[in-house]
Amino acid sequence: MSIELVTIVDFIRYGASRFGAAGLTFGHGHDNALDEATQLVLHALHLPPDLGPAYGQAKLVAEERIAVLALFERRIQERIPACYLTGEAWFAGLSFKTDSRALVPRSPIAELIETGFEPWLGGREVNRVLDMCTGSGCIAIATAHYHPHWQVDAADLSEDALALAAENKVRLMADNVRLVQSDLFKNLDGEVYDLIVTNPPYVTHAETDALPPEYAHEPDLGLRAGEDGLDLALEILRDAPRHLSENGLLICEVGESEHALVALLPELPLAWVEFKVGQMGIFVAEREDLVAHHARIKALADARRG
């Protein structure tokens, strides 16, 4: 079969066809078979992801064909996300090391980072930022990269995730990032931030159990968040005011659990961010609003895990 495949474009097309026929699921950095096939081919050939189309007709030697086809087979047979096979994921224009110690970086918060969190910050002064549930460190490190004068704390419960984040901190020379092991705010007593950004686990038990095989390669700890996906988000909403400066801002991703959150707290003023592709389940909350509705939030959160 590989004898009939000659050029880079041949292999990309073949990979995409194989992935489609195998019924693979996409959503870990790419949302379609063609982009994943391109990622795997270029990785196997040690070529950059922005390779110009003129190179598409370049021919592969025998060893390269074997390497590409081996990656395709692992993607199909083991259902491993492409980013775990390549060990690299791009987030907010930066290259992060990625493996099964943390979720593959893919949050739309990247778009907010690249726009300086405007217009939501409204020009307010920022000195300290917290990335809660940092995982691979992508949100914290990208924020620190684009805002070198901000001091950014990256907190996570998982030692494995923090070890990966530490490697990415070195990889991207993010000296203004501090890594903290903490179960949400538990090890952050007395710490106050102007901006808290968080992408906590927010997938319901039922949805997690029904996820395609690709997601089984990611840590369950990074996905599962109760019957409605809000166990951790409610705890964050409850405790954030103690860690936000007077005009502080909370930005939190809850994905499909947006509807459940609005139903639970219809009176809480949350601004849902409109991205280039529409709403993505990310809200912005002012500290003063969290304080004003603290009693109700606390009652809901306390009834759960905290």
Side-chain angles (χ1 to χ4, degrees):
M1 170 66 71
S2 64
I3 296 175
E4 301 171 28
L5 304 172
V6 178
T7 67
I8 289 177
V9 168
D10 286 343
F11 278 87
I12 290 173
R13 195 284 307 159
Y14 176 69
S17 296
R18 288 285 311 279
F19 295 168
L24 301 187
T25 295
F26 309 101
H28 293 88
H30 297 296
D31 61 4
N32 63 84
L34 196 60
D35 285 346
E36 274 212 4
T38 301
Q39 179 187 13
L40 291 176
V41 169
L42 295 180
H43 172 77
L45 301 179
H46 307 286
L47 292 171
D50 56 352
L51 186 73
Y55 291 92
Q57 296 305 312
K59 298 177 181 179
L60 278 65
V61 301
E63 289 181 0
E64 292 172 333
R65 295 179 185 183
I66 292 170
V68 169
L69 293 175
L71 274 182
F72 287 172
E73 286 307 311
R74 290 201 68 195
R75 179 67 183 93
I76 293 167
Q77 298 302 325
E78 300 177 50
R79 299 290 289 268
I80 300 173
C83 288
Y84 283 166
L85 290 172
T86 65
E88 179 185 46
W90 286 82
F91 180 82
L94 303 172
S95 167
F96 287 84
K97 178 178 180 178
T98 185
D99 59 38
S100 59
R101 289 176 287 178
L103 301 188
V104 173
R106 55 182 179 272
S107 171
I109 289 173
E111 188 177 316
L112 287 176
I113 294 171
E114 291 181 288
T115 59
F117 298 100
E118 295 294 353
W120 307 104
L121 283 176
R124 72 190 78 188
E125 183 180 359
V126 173
N127 294 303
R128 298 195 68 204
V129 179
L130 171 65
D131 171 23
M132 176 68 70
C133 306
T134 194
S136 64
C138 59
I139 290 174
I141 292 168
T143 298
H145 174 86
Y146 289 109
H147 301 278
H149 301 299
W150 293 1
Q151 295 301 311
V152 182
D153 282 358
D156 204 287
L157 174 62
S158 166
E159 290 184 7
D160 286 343
L162 287 172
L164 177 59
E167 293 178 41
N168 279 316
K169 174 182 173 177
V170 173
R171 179 187 182 104
L172 289 159
M173 297 177 288
D175 294 335
N176 52 327
V177 170
R178 180 180 69 137
L179 303 174
V180 183
Q181 185 180 17
S182 181
D183 182 356
L184 299 184
F185 292 103
K186 287 182 173 59
N187 290 341
L188 293 169
D189 284 348
E191 302 287 356
V192 177
Y193 305 93
D194 305 301
L195 173 64
I196 296 175
V197 185
T198 180
N199 178 18
Y202 56 73
V203 185
T204 68
H205 288 323
E207 289 169 341
T208 305
D209 292 339
L211 285 171
E214 280 81 356
Y215 293 86
H217 295 277
E218 295 189 295
D220 194 70
L221 183 67
L223 295 167
R224 195 179 294 272
E227 296 303 322
D228 60 2
L230 294 175
D231 283 5
L232 280 80
L234 286 171
E235 193 169 339
I236 291 169
L237 284 165
R238 180 193 68 194
D239 296 340
R242 289 190 290 111
H243 299 276
L244 282 169
S245 56
E246 185 178 356
N247 295 313
L249 204 65
L250 170 68
I251 297 177
C252 178
E253 179 171 345
V254 293
E256 294 297 322
S257 295
E258 168 187 344
H259 307 293
L261 180 59
V262 171
L264 275 179
L265 290 164
E267 70 280 6
L268 180 63
L270 299 175
W272 295 93
V273 181
E274 286 283 344
F275 293 91
K276 293 174 183 175
V277 295
Q279 282 194 22
M280 300 287 285
I282 294 173
F283 67 80
V284 180
E286 296 279 353
R287 180 186 182 275
E288 61 181 11
D289 293 326
L290 296 178
V291 170
H293 297 274
H294 180 71
R296 171 63 176 157
I297 296 169
K298 185 177 187 300
L300 289 168
D302 289 356
R304 305 207 178 189
R305 62 165 244 166

